[in-house]
Amino acid sequence: MAKRGAPDNAYNAIKSRITSGEYYPSQRLVEEQVAKELSLSRHNVRAALQRLEADGLVTIEPNRGASVASMSLEQALDTLAARKILEMEITRAAAENISDEQIHTLQIYVKNMTEFLEQQRFDDYSRTNRLFHRVIYDVSGKRTIAWLISLLRERMARMQMRTILIPGRSSESLKEHTAILRAMEAHDPEAAASAAGAHIENLTHIVETAWGLVRS
């Protein structure tokens, strides 16, 4: 087990605060202050910030230091375009490999997501949403694609847009996940890929809408 204050701990702690929105886009990350907040050494914070710069989550400028990277609408749309291709490929592969037991797990997740939306438990919905996709990523056997998708999702997280709260988005999101589930039940790779692509296309439209609301 790594010692507290080790570079990996610093990296994971800062990354978590960025992707959760606790550290917001363009916020300055002063090494001494971050080290104090997280009870970490300044040296390890500096190393972590350099790693996060390589991930695209942090920007480091001469004479200014580090800050949380911001993202333009164009960058967000490019990120979603790349994610669409990857999601379609990984979902296609999952439909070919998925077992009855794994389909049952997806059915339970969709059932839970339905109940969470009825109860307006949006955090639980989002958590279960991630579990739903994790099953697909794991079943696909395509670890590199799953890793690339995780990077793209992390970069989008810093936009701090709760798309599930956009009016009408929750019901559409549930329909999209149900369509993916139906394709998995049918073991239909092309239907699964099409449903995954439609899911990201709809998310893209929502991001454009949310971007306008945030900037208005």
Side-chain angles (χ1 to χ4, degrees):
M1 180 179 293
K3 260 173 57 173
R4 179 170 178 76
D8 282 351
N9 287 354
Y11 171 82
N12 291 329
I14 299 170
K15 180 179 179 179
S16 176
R17 291 200 174 198
I18 292 173
T19 57
S20 69
E22 189 170 350
Y23 288 160
Y24 53 84
S26 300
Q27 178 180 346
R28 290 195 63 200
L29 300 174
V30 180
E31 290 177 7
E32 184 176 3
Q33 180 180 339
V34 172
K36 184 177 181 180
E37 287 175 356
L38 301 177
S39 300
L40 298 165
S41 75
R42 187 169 176 178
H43 169 76
N44 287 328
V45 167
R46 183 182 301 115
L49 292 174
Q50 291 169 347
R51 284 178 64 184
L52 290 164
E53 182 184 32
D55 290 346
L57 297 178
V58 164
T59 300
I60 300 177
E61 300 178 87
N63 303 318
R64 180 172 174 80
S67 60
V68 179
S70 58
M71 177 178 273
S72 67
L73 178 58
E74 181 180 6
Q75 290 172 322
L77 297 181
D78 285 348
T79 298
L80 286 168
R83 184 178 161 195
K84 176 184 173 182
I85 295 170
L86 296 174
E87 291 277 7
M88 290 180 70
E89 178 61 26
I90 206 167
T91 307
R92 180 185 289 111
E96 295 174 343
N97 300 329
I98 196 163
S99 68
D100 290 344
E101 181 180 356
Q102 291 158 336
I103 289 173
H104 182 61
T105 298
L106 293 181
Q107 291 169 336
I108 291 172
Y109 286 151
V110 168
K111 179 178 181 294
N112 290 342
M113 290 163 69
T114 302
E115 294 173 355
F116 291 147
L117 285 186
E118 290 173 352
Q119 299 164 11
Q120 297 189 336
R121 293 164 57 184
F122 298 117
D123 286 339
D124 288 330
Y125 180 94
S126 295
R127 176 181 54 79
T128 308
N129 181 349
R130 290 191 294 272
L131 293 173
F132 178 95
H133 286 285
R134 175 50 56 192
V135 171
I136 292 173
Y137 300 160
D138 290 344
V139 169
S140 74
K142 294 184 176 293
R143 294 183 180 180
T144 300
I145 294 179
W147 173 71
L148 289 170
I149 290 173
S150 71
L151 289 180
L152 296 178
R153 289 174 70 103
E154 287 168 358
R155 291 191 177 196
M156 289 298 298
R158 58 194 158 103
M159 294 180 68
Q160 292 187 298
M161 292 178 177
R162 296 294 304 278
T163 57
I164 197 66
L165 299 180
I166 299 293
R169 176 55 191 161
S170 57
S171 59
E172 290 303 312
S173 171
L174 184 59
K175 289 178 184 177
E176 291 157 18
H177 287 84
T178 301
I180 294 172
L181 171 61
R182 296 294 173 253
M184 291 292 165
E185 291 171 336
H187 296 278
D188 187 333
E190 294 312 313
S194 178
H199 174 48
I200 302 301
E201 284 180 6
N202 292 337
L203 179 59
T204 300
H205 294 317
I206 290 299
V207 165
E208 290 180 296
T209 300
W211 188 275
L213 292 175
V214 169
R215 296 301 185 269
S216 64

